[in-house]
Amino acid sequence: MLNSCSSNAILTKIRAILGKRLTYADYAQMARKHDVGEVAALLKENPSYAIALRNIDEGNVHRGQLEQLLKKDLFYKYSALRRYDFSGGSFYDFPIMQREIDEIIRRIVLLQADENTDFVVDLPSYMLGHTSFPLMDLARTRNFEELLECVAHTPYQRILKGLGQKDIRSLNVMNCEHALYSYYYKTLHEAIQKQFHGETRQQLLEAADSEIELQNIQNIFRLKLYFHYDEARVRQYLYPYSHRYHKAQMDALIKAEDFAQMLRVLTPEGQEEAEVLEEDGIEPYTNRLCYQLERKLLRFTTKAPVAMFTFLTLRRIEVQNIITVIEGVRYQMPQDEILKMLIL
């Protein structure tokens, strides 16, 4: 486990970073701006983003560039925390594993669409040298065989081979995503169970299982309402972890015949919660549940691994909120409409 000095240092650093997090008033001020450059100029004044954005030219910055800088800053903050004397082993590599999986899926989607330039443009260059396979080699792949060769000597090759396809166009992206994320969640779970004990393990499982469960709920809504999958097929895309919702409730959600019935199953606590879900949609609703749980965990935890896990989730949500504001400003949406889309 971490020694007390390292643990206290990590907790102090994380709370210091989040103490400078953006407030509702900050978002409201950004949402009043007229273009991406004005948003960037305002962000540069915030102590939490001043260093990351110090070299940008507000007159020429574009959305994609600003988004990459924000994600780069998040990765550097993770790397700085990772350099402390952690003894948690592979658990602390989970953000890199998640990004590796996202890049593999993105490459498959673009190969199927015969798009090559976009992958290189959006490649997270700040992660070069940190991944278990060369990201530049992934960018050069042109077919499934080359993709498998790129991820040789990693667990991803076995998982992709297990899909039973030999051509990139015959790959079902949903099956691919589910297989890769099943491995990710299983690995994360096993690392928590093996490397931690007591309250630390309990709180980490609460945070991880909550995130997975909310992803399951998003999948159920998406597969039933947009793809019209039957019960058996929906179950194929769920992950075997839960936290807040018991099995009977999840079964009822899967068997629900329409959106109204799904709302009643998911929000038995009252009409007000159901109205929020109906107005905002399932993803903002579940993201807010995740945000509220992990903010509460971070506020009260004294465990550095829990602080690390929840911090990264909360920071990712903040970065996504900024991107949402940028998109809203770019398309000249009204301020109140932008603010309603934020995860707060």
Side-chain angles (χ1 to χ4, degrees), residues 116-149:
N116 293 315
T117 304
D118 287 350
F119 187 83
V120 177
V121 169
D122 294 328
L123 191 72
S125 58
Y126 49 87
M127 291 193 66
L128 295 177
H130 295 280
T131 54
S132 62
F133 58 87
L135 283 176
M136 289 307 300
D137 287 357
L138 183 64
R140 297 186 187 101
T141 57
R142 294 295 180 268
N143 53 55
F144 192 45
E145 183 179 357
E146 291 181 1
L147 180 61
L148 290 176
E149 180 62 27

Side-chain angles (χ1 to χ4, degrees), residues 35 63 66 159 225 292:
D35 56 42
R63 181 200 58 80
L66 188 54
I159 295 167
L225 298 177
Q292 291 161 7

Side-chain angles (χ1 to χ4, degrees), residues 298-313:
L298 182 58
R299 183 184 302 125
F300 294 108
T301 191
T302 58
K303 311 299 180 182
V306 180
M308 176 77 154
F309 189 94
T310 54
F311 162 72
L312 290 174
T313 298

